[in-house]
Amino acid sequence: MTASNTLAPGLNTGTPAGQAAAQAGARPRRPLLPWAAGPAWFLAALVTWRWPDADDFPDTNLLAALFAAIGLGLLATAALRRLSARAPWAIALGLGFTVWEVAQAKLLWLPRPFFGTPQDLLDVFLTDWKRLGDSLLHSLGLLAVGYGIGAVLGVAIGVGLGRSPRFRYWVRPLIRLVGPLPPVALLPLAFVLIPSGRLASEALLALAAGFPTTILTWSGVAAVDPAYYDVARTMGARNRFLVLRVALPAAMPQIFVGLFMGLGVSFATLVVAEMLGVKSGLGFYMQWAQGWAAYPNMYAALLVMSLMCTGLVSLLFKVRDRVLSWQKDGLKW
Amino acid sequence: MVTTPTHPAHPLGLALHHIDHGYAIGGTDTPVLDDISLTIAPGEFVALLGPSGCGKSTLLRLIAGLEPPRAGTILAEGTPITGPGPDRIVMFQDPTLYPWRTVRGNVALGHDIAGRKDPASVDAAIELVGLKGFERAWPHQLSGGMAQRAALARALVNDPRLLILDEPLGKLDSLTRLTMQTELQRLWRDRGFTAIMVTHDVEEALLLATRIIVFSPRPARIIGDLPIDLPPHRHRDDPRLLDLRKNILTQLGHSADW
């Protein structure tokens, strides 16, 4: 008892109950919540398998098996004690699928074809994965080229605006005229002026990514403490060093804000460009699905697009965390 | 402390001839320096004393070559100064360490600029200022005194022939300041560079300098030039220092204030 008192003086309330609580708190707890995640998914599997469908839906038994497999996986994860923080989400998802399955596949509460069942969605991935994957690759390729060019140009133009008065004199009015225009507004013109739809879309994506990157790079470079330049100059640094090794790293936190904003505008531009111009990619797939009233296909494409966008944002934040590891506090994405 | 690596001493001598300088502030032209002429012998430790804002720091910028004077010439060993150079290194009031570089990266700045690889001298400089073990720390993890030590190491790694000190200890707490004063003086003796230091602290000037130049309020003119003929190891209570201190404060117009 004395040992427990000295170890946890703050917990000692003096009452026997308080002392018992202090002792229980000292032992590692075995939370029960992770063990509930598997059963939640078994429930989804059971409902899917045993409760007859309201209509002739595809892949019902396969979906049930998939739910069960996820449940087994979660049980294994719980046994390995790797689930503690994510357990509430795993349970909520299992229950959510159960509710969706009951509401739509078993009772048909929501009007078809606008709302699909989980098995409809699974069926799209099983039967149309090739076209979905192909669309994803097309979108990614378009983004990579357009956004990449826009990001590089944006940083370069931003540094020019921040460092050179003459460059600023000529380029600033152009930036002010063209920059705030939504890139989508240029779409009809771009498809007329640029013969290749793909090239036109890449140019618009570059514009979408380039404008925020330019402005924030400029603001970052303009805000660099002049003393940083003095320190390097007194050691004999030339302009090249001042730009690449002083201005750029000092402006890097701002540059990443610009890159993040540019990525968001790029996503929007990408979807519109694919719908109206290039006739490929996830945006086009979605439009095609809507034209055929194939709503489950649209949901599937939306899911893939959402995963693509969040994946790219995560990637950008990963790079940022690495480049800005010197910063005191990083934002967690 | 570690033994200082011995460097061939090539302290820089300076000659300033009739320097005028000024700034346009808010549309009006403000003269800052008025006909400054001064000769600094190689190896001297000169302290520049004067009222706040009188233009001493501007004079240092001119000597560093960060900007050209409006009139007059500054000669380093007979050659006019036209720009900054690694033989004249400035240490500012703020450490101005680059936050994106570690202590080691900051100290190696001069080498990076010169395109030289000399990790041993970087390590030696870090050890010299007592920051061994903090090579991989980020500037925001350092205390004010440690950051200023890192800035000192960053200056020393260039082997300056002239160290230009713009109130480098001004923002440190008084105890750190005492230690840094002693170390600055030791480095100056061991390394044999010329040192020019702006300070507001009469006592600091008296402890460190071989010569004190006193400036008038803006626009700065030289109103006093006192050699301090005392041995380097000075005690703060030395009666000769107290006499000099009284003399300087009188020149600065503070005879009644101490």
Short mmCIF file of all heavy atoms in Angstrom, two decimals, chain B residues 75-122:
data_model
loop_
_atom_site.label_atom_id
_atom_site.label_comp_id
_atom_site.label_asym_id
_atom_site.label_seq_id
_atom_site.Cartn_x
_atom_site.Cartn_y
_atom_site.Cartn_z
N LEU B 75 39.08 51.61 -47.53
CA LEU B 75 40.15 50.78 -48.07
C LEU B 75 40.46 49.66 -47.09
O LEU B 75 40.57 49.88 -45.89
CB LEU B 75 41.41 51.63 -48.28
CG LEU B 75 41.28 52.85 -49.20
CD1 LEU B 75 42.60 53.63 -49.22
CD2 LEU B 75 40.89 52.42 -50.59
N ALA B 76 40.56 48.45 -47.65
CA ALA B 76 41.07 47.33 -46.86
C ALA B 76 42.45 47.02 -47.41
O ALA B 76 42.57 46.61 -48.56
CB ALA B 76 40.14 46.13 -47.01
N GLU B 77 43.45 47.25 -46.62
CA GLU B 77 44.84 47.09 -47.04
C GLU B 77 45.09 47.84 -48.35
O GLU B 77 45.70 47.30 -49.29
CB GLU B 77 45.19 45.62 -47.21
CG GLU B 77 45.37 44.94 -45.88
CD GLU B 77 45.66 43.46 -46.02
OE1 GLU B 77 45.47 42.92 -47.12
OE2 GLU B 77 46.11 42.88 -45.03
N GLY B 78 44.57 49.05 -48.45
CA GLY B 78 44.83 49.87 -49.61
C GLY B 78 43.92 49.64 -50.79
O GLY B 78 43.93 50.40 -51.74
N THR B 79 43.06 48.57 -50.75
CA THR B 79 42.16 48.28 -51.86
C THR B 79 40.74 48.70 -51.47
O THR B 79 40.29 48.34 -50.38
CB THR B 79 42.17 46.78 -52.16
OG1 THR B 79 43.51 46.31 -52.06
CG2 THR B 79 41.61 46.50 -53.54
N PRO B 80 40.05 49.42 -52.34
CA PRO B 80 38.69 49.83 -51.99
C PRO B 80 37.75 48.63 -51.83
O PRO B 80 37.85 47.66 -52.59
CB PRO B 80 38.25 50.70 -53.17
CG PRO B 80 39.49 51.04 -53.91
CD PRO B 80 40.47 49.96 -53.64
N ILE B 81 36.86 48.72 -50.86
CA ILE B 81 35.87 47.67 -50.65
C ILE B 81 34.70 47.92 -51.59
O ILE B 81 34.10 48.99 -51.58
CB ILE B 81 35.39 47.67 -49.19
CG1 ILE B 81 36.50 47.13 -48.28
CG2 ILE B 81 34.12 46.83 -49.03
CD1 ILE B 81 36.16 47.20 -46.81
N THR B 82 34.39 46.96 -52.45
CA THR B 82 33.29 47.15 -53.40
C THR B 82 32.12 46.22 -53.11
O THR B 82 31.05 46.39 -53.67
CB THR B 82 33.77 46.89 -54.83
OG1 THR B 82 34.41 45.62 -54.85
CG2 THR B 82 34.75 47.95 -55.29
N GLY B 83 32.32 45.26 -52.25
CA GLY B 83 31.22 44.33 -51.96
C GLY B 83 31.60 43.47 -50.78
O GLY B 83 32.71 43.58 -50.26
N PRO B 84 30.68 42.59 -50.38
CA PRO B 84 31.00 41.71 -49.25
C PRO B 84 32.05 40.68 -49.64
O PRO B 84 32.22 40.38 -50.82
CB PRO B 84 29.68 41.03 -48.93
CG PRO B 84 28.65 41.66 -49.79
CD PRO B 84 29.35 42.35 -50.91
N GLY B 85 32.74 40.15 -48.66
CA GLY B 85 33.72 39.11 -48.93
C GLY B 85 33.93 38.28 -47.69
O GLY B 85 33.75 38.77 -46.57
N PRO B 86 34.30 37.02 -47.88
CA PRO B 86 34.39 36.12 -46.73
C PRO B 86 35.55 36.44 -45.78
O PRO B 86 35.65 35.80 -44.73
CB PRO B 86 34.55 34.74 -47.38
CG PRO B 86 34.99 35.00 -48.77
CD PRO B 86 34.54 36.37 -49.15
N ASP B 87 36.41 37.40 -46.12
CA ASP B 87 37.44 37.76 -45.14
C ASP B 87 36.89 38.75 -44.10
O ASP B 87 37.51 38.99 -43.08
CB ASP B 87 38.68 38.34 -45.84
CG ASP B 87 38.32 39.50 -46.76
OD1 ASP B 87 37.12 39.65 -47.09
OD2 ASP B 87 39.23 40.25 -47.13
N ARG B 88 35.71 39.33 -44.41
CA ARG B 88 35.08 40.25 -43.46
C ARG B 88 33.71 39.68 -43.09
O ARG B 88 32.78 39.74 -43.88
CB ARG B 88 34.89 41.63 -44.11
CG ARG B 88 36.16 42.42 -44.28
CD ARG B 88 35.95 43.55 -45.26
NE ARG B 88 36.01 43.07 -46.63
CZ ARG B 88 35.09 43.35 -47.55
NH1 ARG B 88 34.04 44.09 -47.24
NH2 ARG B 88 35.20 42.88 -48.78
N ILE B 89 33.59 39.08 -41.94
CA ILE B 89 32.36 38.41 -41.57
C ILE B 89 31.62 39.23 -40.52
O ILE B 89 32.22 39.75 -39.59
CB ILE B 89 32.65 37.00 -41.03
CG1 ILE B 89 33.30 36.14 -42.11
CG2 ILE B 89 31.38 36.34 -40.52
CD1 ILE B 89 32.41 35.83 -43.28
N VAL B 90 30.31 39.35 -40.71
CA VAL B 90 29.48 40.11 -39.78
C VAL B 90 28.77 39.16 -38.82
O VAL B 90 28.28 38.11 -39.23
CB VAL B 90 28.42 40.94 -40.52
CG1 VAL B 90 27.74 41.90 -39.56
CG2 VAL B 90 29.03 41.69 -41.67
N MET B 91 28.73 39.55 -37.57
CA MET B 91 27.88 38.86 -36.61
C MET B 91 26.84 39.87 -36.16
O MET B 91 27.18 40.93 -35.65
CB MET B 91 28.73 38.36 -35.45
CG MET B 91 28.12 37.25 -34.68
SD MET B 91 29.26 36.71 -33.40
CE MET B 91 28.07 36.18 -32.20
N PHE B 92 25.57 39.52 -36.35
CA PHE B 92 24.50 40.48 -36.10
C PHE B 92 23.98 40.37 -34.67
O PHE B 92 24.29 39.43 -33.94
CB PHE B 92 23.35 40.24 -37.08
CG PHE B 92 23.73 40.47 -38.52
CD1 PHE B 92 24.15 39.41 -39.31
CD2 PHE B 92 23.68 41.73 -39.07
CE1 PHE B 92 24.50 39.61 -40.63
CE2 PHE B 92 24.03 41.94 -40.39
CZ PHE B 92 24.44 40.88 -41.17
N GLN B 93 23.13 41.35 -34.35
CA GLN B 93 22.53 41.34 -33.00
C GLN B 93 21.66 40.10 -32.80
O GLN B 93 21.68 39.48 -31.76
CB GLN B 93 21.70 42.60 -32.83
CG GLN B 93 21.07 42.71 -31.45
CD GLN B 93 20.41 44.05 -31.24
OE1 GLN B 93 20.16 44.79 -32.17
NE2 GLN B 93 20.14 44.35 -30.00
N ASP B 94 20.90 39.74 -33.85
CA ASP B 94 20.15 38.50 -33.80
C ASP B 94 21.01 37.40 -34.41
O ASP B 94 21.78 37.66 -35.33
CB ASP B 94 18.86 38.63 -34.62
CG ASP B 94 17.89 39.60 -33.97
OD1 ASP B 94 17.57 39.38 -32.79
OD2 ASP B 94 17.48 40.57 -34.63
N PRO B 95 20.87 36.18 -33.91
CA PRO B 95 21.72 35.11 -34.46
C PRO B 95 21.47 34.89 -35.95
O PRO B 95 22.37 34.48 -36.66
CB PRO B 95 21.32 33.88 -33.65
CG PRO B 95 20.58 34.39 -32.47
CD PRO B 95 20.01 35.72 -32.84
N THR B 96 20.24 35.19 -36.43
CA THR B 96 19.86 34.97 -37.83
C THR B 96 20.36 33.63 -38.36
O THR B 96 20.90 33.53 -39.44
CB THR B 96 20.36 36.09 -38.77
OG1 THR B 96 21.77 36.23 -38.61
CG2 THR B 96 19.68 37.39 -38.49
N LEU B 97 20.16 32.59 -37.54
CA LEU B 97 20.44 31.24 -38.04
C LEU B 97 19.32 30.87 -39.00
O LEU B 97 18.18 31.31 -38.83
CB LEU B 97 20.46 30.24 -36.88
CG LEU B 97 21.52 30.50 -35.81
CD1 LEU B 97 21.33 29.51 -34.66
CD2 LEU B 97 22.91 30.37 -36.39
N TYR B 98 19.63 30.09 -40.01
CA TYR B 98 18.59 29.63 -40.93
C TYR B 98 17.79 28.52 -40.24
O TYR B 98 18.36 27.48 -39.90
CB TYR B 98 19.21 29.10 -42.22
CG TYR B 98 19.86 30.15 -43.08
CD1 TYR B 98 20.68 29.79 -44.14
CD2 TYR B 98 19.65 31.51 -42.84
CE1 TYR B 98 21.27 30.76 -44.93
CE2 TYR B 98 20.24 32.48 -43.63
CZ TYR B 98 21.05 32.10 -44.68
OH TYR B 98 21.63 33.05 -45.46
N PRO B 99 16.50 28.72 -40.06
CA PRO B 99 15.72 27.72 -39.31
C PRO B 99 15.64 26.37 -40.02
O PRO B 99 15.33 25.37 -39.39
CB PRO B 99 14.34 28.37 -39.18
CG PRO B 99 14.28 29.43 -40.21
CD PRO B 99 15.69 29.88 -40.45
N TRP B 100 15.92 26.34 -41.33
CA TRP B 100 15.81 25.08 -42.07
C TRP B 100 17.13 24.33 -42.09
O TRP B 100 17.24 23.30 -42.72
CB TRP B 100 15.33 25.34 -43.49
CG TRP B 100 16.23 26.24 -44.29
CD1 TRP B 100 17.28 25.86 -45.06
CD2 TRP B 100 16.15 27.66 -44.39
NE1 TRP B 100 17.87 26.96 -45.61
CE2 TRP B 100 17.19 28.09 -45.23
CE3 TRP B 100 15.30 28.62 -43.83
CZ2 TRP B 100 17.40 29.43 -45.54
CZ3 TRP B 100 15.51 29.95 -44.14
CH2 TRP B 100 16.55 30.34 -44.98
N ARG B 101 18.14 24.87 -41.41
CA ARG B 101 19.40 24.15 -41.33
C ARG B 101 19.67 23.79 -39.87
O ARG B 101 19.34 24.58 -38.98
CB ARG B 101 20.56 25.02 -41.83
CG ARG B 101 20.63 25.16 -43.34
CD ARG B 101 21.71 26.13 -43.72
NE ARG B 101 21.90 26.18 -45.17
CZ ARG B 101 23.04 25.84 -45.78
NH1 ARG B 101 24.09 25.46 -45.09
NH2 ARG B 101 23.12 25.89 -47.08
N THR B 102 20.28 22.64 -39.65
CA THR B 102 20.69 22.29 -38.30
C THR B 102 21.83 23.21 -37.87
O THR B 102 22.34 24.00 -38.67
CB THR B 102 21.18 20.85 -38.23
OG1 THR B 102 22.28 20.73 -39.15
CG2 THR B 102 20.10 19.86 -38.61
N VAL B 103 22.23 23.11 -36.61
CA VAL B 103 23.37 23.89 -36.14
C VAL B 103 24.57 23.64 -37.06
O VAL B 103 25.24 24.56 -37.52
CB VAL B 103 23.71 23.50 -34.68
CG1 VAL B 103 25.07 24.04 -34.29
CG2 VAL B 103 22.64 24.04 -33.75
N ARG B 104 24.77 22.37 -37.36
CA ARG B 104 25.91 22.01 -38.21
C ARG B 104 25.78 22.65 -39.60
O ARG B 104 26.73 23.22 -40.13
CB ARG B 104 25.97 20.49 -38.35
CG ARG B 104 27.20 20.01 -39.00
CD ARG B 104 27.46 18.54 -38.64
NE ARG B 104 28.88 18.34 -38.54
CZ ARG B 104 29.70 18.49 -39.57
NH1 ARG B 104 29.23 18.82 -40.74
NH2 ARG B 104 30.99 18.32 -39.42
N GLY B 105 24.58 22.57 -40.17
CA GLY B 105 24.35 23.16 -41.48
C GLY B 105 24.55 24.67 -41.46
O GLY B 105 25.08 25.25 -42.41
N ASN B 106 24.14 25.31 -40.38
CA ASN B 106 24.33 26.76 -40.28
C ASN B 106 25.80 27.12 -40.19
O ASN B 106 26.25 28.07 -40.83
CB ASN B 106 23.58 27.29 -39.06
CG ASN B 106 22.15 27.70 -39.39
OD1 ASN B 106 21.93 28.70 -40.05
ND2 ASN B 106 21.20 26.89 -38.96
N VAL B 107 26.53 26.36 -39.38
CA VAL B 107 27.95 26.67 -39.22
C VAL B 107 28.69 26.44 -40.55
O VAL B 107 29.63 27.16 -40.88
CB VAL B 107 28.56 25.83 -38.07
CG1 VAL B 107 30.06 26.03 -37.99
CG2 VAL B 107 27.91 26.21 -36.76
N ALA B 108 28.21 25.46 -41.31
CA ALA B 108 28.88 25.14 -42.58
C ALA B 108 28.47 26.08 -43.71
O ALA B 108 28.91 25.89 -44.85
CB ALA B 108 28.57 23.69 -42.97
N LEU B 109 27.65 27.10 -43.41
CA LEU B 109 27.12 27.97 -44.47
C LEU B 109 28.22 28.56 -45.35
O LEU B 109 28.14 28.52 -46.58
CB LEU B 109 26.29 29.09 -43.83
CG LEU B 109 25.62 30.04 -44.81
CD1 LEU B 109 24.58 29.32 -45.64
CD2 LEU B 109 24.98 31.21 -44.08
N GLY B 110 29.25 29.10 -44.71
CA GLY B 110 30.33 29.72 -45.48
C GLY B 110 30.99 28.74 -46.43
O GLY B 110 31.31 29.07 -47.57
N HIS B 111 31.17 27.50 -45.97
CA HIS B 111 31.76 26.47 -46.82
C HIS B 111 30.86 26.16 -48.00
O HIS B 111 31.32 25.98 -49.13
CB HIS B 111 32.01 25.19 -46.02
CG HIS B 111 33.18 25.30 -45.07
ND1 HIS B 111 34.01 26.38 -45.06
CD2 HIS B 111 33.62 24.46 -44.11
CE1 HIS B 111 34.93 26.20 -44.13
NE2 HIS B 111 34.72 25.04 -43.54
N ASP B 112 29.54 26.08 -47.73
CA ASP B 112 28.59 25.78 -48.81
C ASP B 112 28.64 26.87 -49.87
O ASP B 112 28.57 26.59 -51.07
CB ASP B 112 27.17 25.68 -48.25
CG ASP B 112 26.95 24.39 -47.49
OD1 ASP B 112 27.89 23.57 -47.49
OD2 ASP B 112 25.88 24.21 -46.90
N ILE B 113 28.73 28.12 -49.41
CA ILE B 113 28.76 29.23 -50.37
C ILE B 113 30.03 29.17 -51.20
O ILE B 113 30.01 29.39 -52.41
CB ILE B 113 28.66 30.57 -49.61
CG1 ILE B 113 27.25 30.73 -49.03
CG2 ILE B 113 28.99 31.74 -50.52
CD1 ILE B 113 27.08 31.86 -48.07
N ALA B 114 31.13 28.83 -50.55
CA ALA B 114 32.40 28.78 -51.27
C ALA B 114 32.55 27.48 -52.05
O ALA B 114 33.52 27.31 -52.78
CB ALA B 114 33.56 28.91 -50.29
N GLY B 115 31.58 26.55 -51.88
CA GLY B 115 31.68 25.28 -52.56
C GLY B 115 32.83 24.43 -52.05
O GLY B 115 33.46 23.70 -52.80
N ARG B 116 33.08 24.54 -50.74
CA ARG B 116 34.23 23.84 -50.16
C ARG B 116 33.71 22.79 -49.19
O ARG B 116 32.67 22.97 -48.56
CB ARG B 116 35.07 24.86 -49.41
CG ARG B 116 36.40 24.35 -48.91
CD ARG B 116 37.19 25.53 -48.36
NE ARG B 116 36.27 26.61 -47.98
CZ ARG B 116 36.61 27.63 -47.22
NH1 ARG B 116 37.82 27.75 -46.78
NH2 ARG B 116 35.73 28.58 -46.89
N LYS B 117 34.40 21.68 -49.10
CA LYS B 117 34.04 20.66 -48.13
C LYS B 117 35.15 20.58 -47.09
O LYS B 117 36.28 20.26 -47.42
CB LYS B 117 33.90 19.29 -48.81
CG LYS B 117 32.68 19.17 -49.70
CD LYS B 117 31.73 18.09 -49.16
CE LYS B 117 30.51 17.91 -50.03
NZ LYS B 117 29.72 19.14 -50.19
N ASP B 118 34.81 20.92 -45.84
CA ASP B 118 35.82 20.87 -44.79
C ASP B 118 35.12 20.57 -43.47
O ASP B 118 35.04 21.43 -42.60
CB ASP B 118 36.58 22.20 -44.74
CG ASP B 118 37.78 22.11 -43.82
OD1 ASP B 118 37.99 21.04 -43.22
OD2 ASP B 118 38.49 23.13 -43.70
N PRO B 119 34.59 19.33 -43.34
CA PRO B 119 33.81 19.02 -42.14
C PRO B 119 34.64 19.18 -40.86
O PRO B 119 34.10 19.54 -39.82
CB PRO B 119 33.40 17.56 -42.34
CG PRO B 119 33.81 17.18 -43.71
CD PRO B 119 34.73 18.21 -44.25
N ALA B 120 35.92 18.95 -40.95
CA ALA B 120 36.75 19.02 -39.74
C ALA B 120 36.74 20.43 -39.16
O ALA B 120 36.63 20.62 -37.95
CB ALA B 120 38.18 18.60 -40.08
N SER B 121 36.80 21.44 -40.05
CA SER B 121 36.83 22.80 -39.52
C SER B 121 35.46 23.20 -38.96
O SER B 121 35.38 23.98 -38.02
CB SER B 121 37.25 23.78 -40.62
OG SER B 121 36.22 23.94 -41.56
N VAL B 122 34.38 22.62 -39.54
CA VAL B 122 33.05 22.88 -38.99
C VAL B 122 32.97 22.31 -37.58
O VAL B 122 32.52 22.97 -36.64
CB VAL B 122 31.97 22.28 -39.90
CG1 VAL B 122 30.60 22.43 -39.27
CG2 VAL B 122 31.99 22.95 -41.26
#
